[in-house]
Amino acid sequence: MPTLTIDGIEVTVEPGSTVLQACEAAGREIPRFCYHERLSIAGNCRMCLVEQEKAPKPIASCAMPAADGMVIKTDSPMVKKAREGVMEFLLINHPLDCPICDQGGECDLQDQAMGYGRGFSRYEENKRAVKDKYMGPLIETVMTRCIHCTRCIRFAQEIAGVPELGAIGRGEDMQITTYLEQAMTSELSGNVIDLCPVGALTSKPYAFTARSWELRKTESVDAMDAVGANIRVDVRGREVMRVLPRLNDEVNEEWLSDKSRFAYDGLKHRRLDRPYIRRNGKLQEASWGEAFAAIAGALNGLQGSQIAAIAGDLVCAESVMALKDLMDRLGSPNIDCRQDGAKIDPGCRAGYLFNSGIAGIEEADAILIVGSNPRREAALINARIRKRYLRGNIKIGLIGEQVPLTYRYDYLGAGPATLKDIAEGRHAFAEVLKAAQKPMLIIGQGALARADGAAILALARQVADSFGLVKEGWNGFNMLHTAASRVGALDLGFVPAAQNGGRDVPAIQAGALSGAVKFVYLLGADELDTAALGSAFVVYQGTHGDAGAKRADVILPGAAYTEKDATWVNTEGRVQLGRRAAVPPGDAREDWAIVRALSEAVGQKLPYDNLGQLRRRMLQAAPHFAAVDKLTPAAWGSFGTAGAVSDAPFVSSIADFYLTNPIARASAVMAECSALARGETLPKTGTHD
C-alpha cells in the first residue's frame, strides 16, 4: 500500500486511492467542486490543486493516483496562489447574485470563495449570460451560475442510468442541458440539486419559500416506500418546507427518490384535522367524545368474529401494535396488514424479508427479479442494482413486465410458467444461478398479490433451495415490499389468527358484503376497494380525505409520518426510528394515542399510557425491535403453499410511481409529475408557472 507524506504527516492508503483521498486521510481539507466520492473523476474544476515535491506545477489531487513516497503540501504559498487563481477564473462569469440566490447559505462556491479565494476581482469585462433550461417541475435552473463541474451529468449517466443531461458547445460557449429541453424522466432526478455546488440547479417547489437558517432540522425516516431512506425534515413553524436525504451507506447512501423528496406539499392539503361522524348520509364535524361514543355504540353487542381491522401502508409500528392489542381484547381474529391481498406467509420471517440487505446487492453475482419493477417500486434499490451492474461480471434476469430498468437484463418470460421452469431446472437461467457464488432472487408484490400468490411464493422458495441462494453467510432470497408499514406489521403479528378462523383482507371484504362482518376498522387503509365493505360500520383513522375517509362512518384524524415519534421497519427488516418534526393539524393526534383513548371508551383499556410503555410491549411481541438500525438475521424455514399457478403474466404492483399513497395523491407537485409521465399537461393556474 502506498505511503505518502502530507504536510509532514505520514499516511498509508489503499492501492488505487487518489492524492485527494490521501490528504483527507491525513486530516487535511481539500476544496473541490467537480469531485464527488460516488461519481467518476472529471478533474475539470482544478480547485483541488496541491503541491507535489519536485513537480513543476500544482497537481489536481482528485485525478492524481497516490504513489509510494510522494511528498505533498496542501497549504504552501504556491497552493494558496493557485487556488486563488482558480477561484478567480470560476467567478469570471458567475453573476455573483448571492443575496437573491436560493442556494445562499448552503452554497459550496460561496463558502470556498470565502475560504480560499481573493477578496477582489480583476475582471472588468461583461459577463456571459446563459438561457435557463427546462428540466421539469422539480428542478429550477439558473444556468448563468453554472461552473461546468459536470456533477449533474455524471449522476444522470452513472447513478440514475438515464443519460438525459449533457454538455453542448465548447469553452465559454459550453452549456449544460437536457438536449431536447424536456423534463428529466429519472425517479432520482432531484439528487442533482444536492450535487450542484452552486445555485444553478435548485428545488423548484422549495424555491424562495424559506432560507436555510430559518428552518428547524429533524432527522427522521422516509415512509413513501419500504426502503426506509434516512431523511432530514426541515420545518418552519408548523409547516414542512423540504425533505432532504441523510447519509446511510447501508440503506440509501446519500440519495433520495423524487417522491420522498418532493411529496411533502401533500402534508398540507386535504388533511383530516378533526373527527367526523356520518349523520343522515353526510359527514359532520364532531368532538372526540362523540366519535368514540359512536364507535362504542356500533361495537355494542357484536361478537369478535363480526369485527375486523385492516392496517394501511403508511402506519407506524406503534399504532399497529396498539390496534392489534385492541382487536385481541375485542376477541376479533380478523386483522390484516396486506391490504393489496398479497399472499405473504407470516409464519417465517425470512420468507418476507430482503434477507441479503440492500447493501448486499453489491455482493451478488446473479440476480433473478420476479414480478417486480424495482425502478418504480424502490428506485433506490434499483440504483443499487445498477451500481452492481456497472462493476460487471453479473447476470440479471427478469420475469414479468418488460420495462426499462436502467441496466441490461435478460428477459426470461412474463409469468409463473418461466419461474416454474427455472425452479425445476428446465431453463437456461437455472444454470446461471447454479454457477453463481452469491445468487439472489428478488420477488415483488406483483407476483404475490394474486390468487395464486402462495403457490408462486412456494416456487420462489424452491428456486432458493435448489440453487444455493441460502448458504452459510449468505441469504439471497429477497422480498421487495412497497409499503413502509408492511414488515413491521408482519413482525408484530397483524395477520389473521388462522386457528380462530381469522379473515384476511379479501375474506373481510366478502364478509362485509354478506353481512357476517359488521364493523371494519381502517387504520390508514386507502389502497383497497372500499365499495366491497358493503353495509358494515366503517371507522377510518388516517391523515387525508382519501378513499377510506370517503367510505367511513366515523373519521379519526391521525398524524403523518413527519408529525410523530414512530418506529418503522424497512423491507430488509431494519428497525429505524422516525422523529417528530412538525405538529399535527387541528385536533389530529398520534395514531397509537387515538387507539389507546378509544380502548378506554369501549371498555377495553390498553395497559400502556405513554410511548415508552408501548415500545416495551412491542419488544415482548418482537424482541428484535430493540436492535435499532441493525439487521437481525432471520432463520430459514418453510413458507408458501405448493399448488397450481395460472398463466396470467406478472404485473407490477405500482402503476404510477408518483401517486402511490394519500400523501402523494394530495401533492400538487406529484400530480404534475404524474401528468408529465403520462404525456399529459395540467391546466395552468395563477398559483404556479
Side-chain angles (χ1 to χ4, degrees), residues 459-673:
L459 283 176
R461 188 187 186 282
Q462 184 179 339
V463 170
D465 288 336
S466 300
F467 302 110
L469 271 69
V470 182
K471 60 184 76 172
E472 184 69 28
W474 177 254
N475 188 335
F477 180 87
N478 296 316
M479 184 176 292
L480 181 56
H481 291 276
T482 57
S485 65
R486 186 70 55 86
V487 174
L490 290 169
D491 285 348
L492 295 172
F494 202 87
V495 288
Q499 67 273 18
N500 297 328
R503 297 172 180 263
D504 60 9
V505 167
I508 290 172
Q509 292 174 314
L513 287 172
S514 68
V517 173
K518 299 184 182 298
F519 181 98
V520 179
Y521 199 111
L522 300 180
L523 179 62
D526 294 278
E527 317 303 322
L528 48 76
D529 182 10
T530 54
L533 297 177
S535 58
F537 188 92
V538 175
V539 176
Y540 176 79
Q541 178 179 328
T543 60
H544 286 71
D546 211 84
K550 183 178 179 181
R551 169 60 184 84
D553 295 291
V554 175
I555 293 175
L556 306 177
Y561 71 104
T562 58
E563 299 162 358
K564 56 186 175 183
D565 291 316
T567 304
W568 310 91
V569 187
N570 74 348
T571 189
E572 57 181 352
R574 186 184 301 271
V575 178
Q576 301 185 106
L577 299 179
R579 302 295 183 187
R580 180 174 182 165
V583 180
D587 291 335
R589 297 291 183 268
E590 294 190 17
D591 292 296
W592 76 266
I594 295 173
V595 177
R596 165 62 180 79
L598 175 61
S599 71
E600 194 166 359
V602 299
Q604 300 291 342
K605 183 179 177 181
L606 295 175
Y608 31 79
D609 299 319
N610 57 52
L611 194 58
Q613 293 174 351
L614 173 55
R615 285 179 170 168
R616 284 192 285 275
R617 167 71 183 99
M618 290 164 59
L619 291 179
Q620 294 174 1
H624 63 266
F625 271 78
V628 176
D629 202 30
K630 294 182 174 64
L631 288 184
T632 305
W636 188 248
S638 61
F639 54 86
T641 305
V645 294
S646 74
D647 295 329
F650 295 135
V651 179
S652 172
S653 58
I654 291 181
D656 190 329
F657 167 77
Y658 298 103
L659 304 177
T660 57
N661 58 62
I663 297 175
R665 287 191 288 270
S667 165
V669 175
M670 291 296 98
E672 189 171 354
C673 290

Side-chain angles (χ1 to χ4, degrees), residues 57 72 117 368 382 391 416 452 475 531 546 581 616 626:
K57 58 183 180 180
I72 302 294
L368 175 62
N382 193 65
R391 280 176 31 214
D452 58 353
N475 188 335
D546 211 84
R616 284 192 285 275

Side-chain angles (χ1 to χ4, degrees), residues 366-401:
I367 300 177
L368 175 62
I369 302 172
V370 180
S372 174
N373 179 351
R375 184 172 170 182
R376 279 186 188 164
E377 297 168 20
L380 294 168
I381 287 180
N382 193 65
R384 284 273 191 168
I385 299 174
R386 174 173 171 79
K387 182 180 180 181
R388 175 62 188 90
Y389 164 79
L390 290 177
R391 280 176 31 214
N393 298 319
I394 186 170
K395 286 281 190 179
I396 303 174
L398 174 67
I399 304 174
E401 295 178 285

Side-chain angles (χ1 to χ4, degrees), residues 7-32:
D7 292 341
I9 301 171
E10 200 170 84
V11 60
T12 301
V13 295
E14 294 290 330
S17 298
T18 64
V19 171
L20 187 150
Q21 291 169 320
C23 291
E24 292 193 332
R28 293 295 183 262
E29 180 182 351
I30 304 296
R32 83 291 296 268

